Amino acid sequence: MKKIFYVLWAVAFILGSVGVAQRLMYGHELAAYGNRVVWGLWVAMYIYFIGLSAGAFLLSSLVYVFKIELFEKVGKLALITALVTLICALLSIWLDLGHMWRAYEVITRPNLPHSMMAWMIWLYSAYLLLLVFETLLAFRIESGKYVGEQLASYQKKLQLLASIGIPLAIAFHGGVGALFGVIASNPMWHSALTPIFFLVGAVASGSALFTMIFAFFWENKESEYYKSMLQVLAKIVLVAVLFDLLLEWAELSIALWMGTPEHTSGFREMLFGNYWFVFWLFHLLLGVAVPVFILLTKKDPIKIGIASLLVVFTFIGVRLNIVIPGLVAEKVHGQAMAYIHPRLAYHYFPSLMEWLVGLFIVAFGIGLFYLGNKYFKLTKEHNTLNA
Amino acid sequence: MQCDEPPCVDVCPVSATWKREDGIVVIDYKACIGCRYCMTACPYEHRMFDYGEKYSEGLPRLAEYDNRPSFEYGKIWERPDKHSSPVGNVRKCTFCAHRLDQGLLPQCVTTCIGGANYFGDLNDPDAVITKIVNKLNVFRLKEEMGTQPKVFYLT
């Protein structure tokens, strides 16, 4: 069984590498986005992964800030999950840049305080540093090598870092949402709800990812700890997914009730356009209805894992539905028919090269996590803060 | 559109685009990282990303005009590969600032065989352009966005 996964992973990694090679050799020529739909799969993957990171990080704060005993053993797992997903996010957006080797310019010549993107990058850079230091400290403390005053000092530093991390995670991920929200010329994005939607989505998808990893990869599946932990995690995922649904209802119902054509074209594209099934089947059915049913009625750990898996896998659809439909709408009436050219089309489906690069990033993340787990034994039931 | 209140300028993360004193919104091709955020901000979708394509690509022979450089910002921009600026950068109309700096009119105004375009300095009260835009049969696109574009349409 394990061998099949290794082979599948290797195939994914190799195929993905082909895509990355094409991206590095030919720039963006093989990408399907153009001058109308300017952002595509990679931007959606970026907001997907960075949401996972923020969500997993906020879960880790249950250990390192609120010291909830039940979560003690999985603190490091949450931190490493947050770190790996952050790296995947940064890889996604780095490859999306027109001049990726100039990315450092956001640090050397940022457009602060005006640019929301500059804010977001500074905040998630601070978050990255904090996450690295917090992870190092957590490992140091739980190694058992330090005692007495030295240990207490490290624990204090860890709690401080983790505490600062909460508003920082909210700020940077709220900033990712605000980046979309402040764009007045895109009515679908231009809402006060957008940053909140991002934050709640982060908790929903991040906690679902964590629950999925815990359900399937925790080594001691017979223990009481495993079963009781999953009941708690199931509730967190359930509440977060339902709250996310509430926000979606607010967004859609308010916009569409009596909305102007300009304001609602993005939402109508999402609900009734060419890719209607991404919202109705992929997200609502597989990503909300089925998982909520399972989480409400089943107690079996593996079923909880499956429900969480469904939420995680389908959440990329939610992120794609934020990025794409708003851009598939002419901003000046008549522009859709004024020019006929692939780069000027109000239509988007990722090209093969884009999918391959996406595959590479996912495989890279899975590989990184697998190595981290193997080396640090994150899914073994021995880690406690008081070890 | 050379807006007086350009939404694209504020969003750029690396300050690669700004409004000149004469009102023209420009892009520094050496600074732009190609994130395309400014393109999402423009209410007119008037900014373009250079994907490195040429008009006659894929045809039996590359046309001669595809090898000619462009001269924005007073520099010579060849496009020899898929990576060198301005490929990978966002580009836009600059009212041919490089021609204005030489006392010439923008190319589109010079080229128009119908004489349908007028161009000039709005700060000059005696200019033809100033007399034209203050008439009643003049409008701008998307006034409600508050962008104050500098392209006026005569009806």
Side-chain angles (χ1 to χ4, degrees):
Chain A
M1 189 61 181
K2 245 190 173 174
K3 244 192 168 167
I4 298 174
F5 280 120
Y6 288 143
V7 169
L8 278 176
W9 182 89
V11 167
F13 193 78
I14 291 168
L15 281 178
S17 305
V18 170
V20 175
Q22 285 181 316
R23 163 68 184 89
L24 294 174
M25 285 194 293
Y26 304 119
H28 296 262
E29 217 193 356
L30 294 173
Y33 40 85
N35 286 322
R36 304 295 185 224
V37 186
V38 305
W39 283 343
L41 179 66
W42 299 340
V43 173
M45 286 179 69
Y46 160 70
I47 60 177
Y48 173 68
F49 279 115
I50 212 158
L52 291 177
S53 180
F57 178 82
L58 288 171
L59 266 186
S60 80
S61 71
L62 292 174
V63 182
Y64 300 114
V65 179
F66 301 107
K67 304 230 185 289
I68 296 176
E69 224 183 284
L70 185 65
F71 280 82
E72 259 179 29
K73 293 190 180 39
V74 297
K76 277 155 41 185
L77 179 63
L79 285 175
I80 294 290
T81 304
L83 199 51
V84 171
T85 47
L86 181 61
I87 292 170
C88 288
L90 296 180
L91 202 54
S92 300
I93 203 63
W94 188 48
L95 288 166
D96 185 72
L97 293 178
H99 280 274
M100 49 197 278
W101 303 108
R102 292 185 196 164
Y104 64 88
E105 281 180 11
V106 193
I107 306 296
T108 56
R109 46 177 296 160
N111 187 7
L112 291 168
H114 301 287
S115 170
M116 201 46 65
M117 191 180 273
W119 272 112
M120 177 200 74
I121 293 168
W122 276 59
L123 287 170
Y124 75 48
S125 300
Y127 165 73
L128 171 63
L129 286 172
L130 183 141
L131 187 54
V132 167
F133 282 119
E134 194 180 320
T135 308
L136 286 172
L137 267 176
F139 273 90
R140 203 166 250 207
I141 289 170
E142 293 176 28
S143 68
K145 289 192 197 130
Y146 301 92
V147 288
E149 251 186 63
Q150 178 73 293
L151 179 67
S153 157
Y154 283 145
Q155 282 172 329
K156 229 181 166 181
K157 286 194 178 85
L158 178 61
Q159 188 167 23
L160 181 65
L161 269 183
S163 303
I164 296 171
I166 296 178
L168 185 59
I170 292 172
F172 97 73
H173 199 59
V176 179
L179 185 157
F180 288 84
V182 299
I183 299 297
S185 68
N186 190 323
M188 193 175 176
W189 293 348
H190 195 48
S191 159
L193 212 51
T194 306
I196 310 301
F197 193 52
F198 270 72
L199 283 168
V200 175
V203 174
S205 58
S207 60
L209 174 67
F210 184 78
T211 305
M212 178 188 93
I213 292 173
F214 185 81
F216 291 121
F217 300 114
W218 193 251
E219 288 189 26
N220 191 354
K221 292 194 174 58
E222 306 305 318
S223 66
E224 266 313 300
Y225 180 75
Y226 176 73
K227 295 187 188 110
S228 51
M229 185 59 159
L230 274 169
Q231 303 313 313
V232 174
L233 285 173
K235 287 191 179 67
I236 294 176
V237 176
L238 179 65
V239 169
V241 168
L242 287 175
F243 192 26
D244 196 70
L245 185 70
L246 176 70
L247 292 180
E248 278 182 314
W249 167 250
E251 188 150 42
L252 287 169
S253 64
I254 299 299
L256 291 169
W257 208 266
M258 295 199 298
T260 58
E262 199 180 286
H263 186 216
T264 59
S265 66
F267 294 116
R268 281 186 281 116
E269 181 69 33
M270 178 177 87
L271 295 174
F272 311 117
N274 286 327
Y275 302 107
W276 60 272
F277 51 87
V278 176
F279 178 78
W280 294 104
L281 300 180
F282 205 58
H283 170 58
L284 268 195
L285 179 64
L286 290 176
V288 178
V290 172
V292 165
F293 174 76
I294 295 175
L295 293 172
L296 275 175
T297 57
K298 310 284 180 220
K299 300 272 178 237
D300 176 56
I302 293 299
K303 292 203 175 83
I304 293 174
I306 291 173
S308 304
L309 182 147
L310 283 173
V311 174
V312 175
F313 274 42
T314 58
F315 223 79
I316 184 67
V318 176
R319 299 308 193 189
L320 278 163
N321 270 338
I322 294 171
V323 178
I324 316 293
L327 294 170
V328 177
E330 52 179 20
K331 290 198 177 134
V332 177
H333 186 60
Q335 251 167 271
M337 284 297 130
Y339 301 98
I340 308 296
H341 187 277
R343 296 286 184 202
L344 295 172
Y346 287 96
H347 174 265
Y348 170 75
F349 188 79
S351 66
L352 181 61
M353 186 267 290
E354 289 176 74
W355 284 116
L356 290 179
V357 170
L359 188 63
F360 174 84
I361 293 166
V362 172
F364 179 81
I366 291 175
L368 199 62
F369 183 81
Y370 177 79
L371 285 174
N373 192 29
K374 211 169 188 189
Y375 188 68
F376 296 120
K377 300 187 183 30
L378 302 161
T379 50
K380 249 208 166 81
E381 197 170 318
H382 59 75
N383 305 313
T384 71
L385 280 175
N386 304 313
Chain B
M1 282 286 182
Q2 322 310 343
C3 302
D4 245 353
E5 303 286 337
C8 56
V9 166
D10 271 352
V11 298
C12 175
V14 295
S15 318
T17 186
W18 64 91
K19 188 178 74 170
R20 288 187 350 173
E21 240 186 75
D22 60 3
I24 298 177
V25 179
V26 296
I27 301 173
D28 181 353
Y29 288 159
K30 291 297 179 194
C32 171
I33 61 174
C35 71
R36 312 188 293 290
Y37 190 22
C38 59
M39 292 174 72
T40 67
C42 178
Y44 308 99
E45 299 185 284
H46 271 199
R47 295 170 78 102
M48 305 283 153
F49 183 79
D50 191 336
Y51 286 89
E53 286 153 342
K54 304 206 174 195
Y55 287 107
S56 52
E57 213 164 288
L59 294 177
R61 195 174 58 207
L62 211 61
E64 185 268 331
Y65 54 74
D66 266 333
N67 287 325
R68 286 196 217 141
S70 57
F71 304 103
E72 296 109 283
Y73 314 114
K75 298 197 172 73
I76 301 174
W77 302 99
E78 316 263 6
R79 288 161 84 240
D81 53 47
K82 306 291 176 194
H83 310 287
S84 314
S85 288
V87 177
N89 287 134
V90 173
R91 301 174 74 169
K92 64 185 292 292
C93 164
T94 58
F95 277 177
C96 286
H98 56 290
R99 285 172 61 90
L100 298 178
D101 291 343
Q102 303 294 322
L104 299 167
L105 284 170
Q107 189 68 61
C108 59
V109 178
T110 307
T111 306
C112 181
I113 56 173
N117 296 337
Y118 299 88
F119 186 87
D121 180 0
L122 273 177
N123 287 329
D124 179 359
D126 296 322
V128 171
I129 194 79
T130 314
K131 295 189 167 64
I132 291 176
V133 301
N134 287 317
K135 292 194 174 169
L136 283 171
N137 61 334
V138 170
F139 74 93
R140 293 187 289 189
L141 292 178
K142 299 199 158 222
E143 293 261 23
E144 71 277 9
M145 297 296 295
T147 47
Q148 310 284 356
K150 288 292 166 285
V151 176
F152 300 82
Y153 293 88
L154 314 179
T155 58

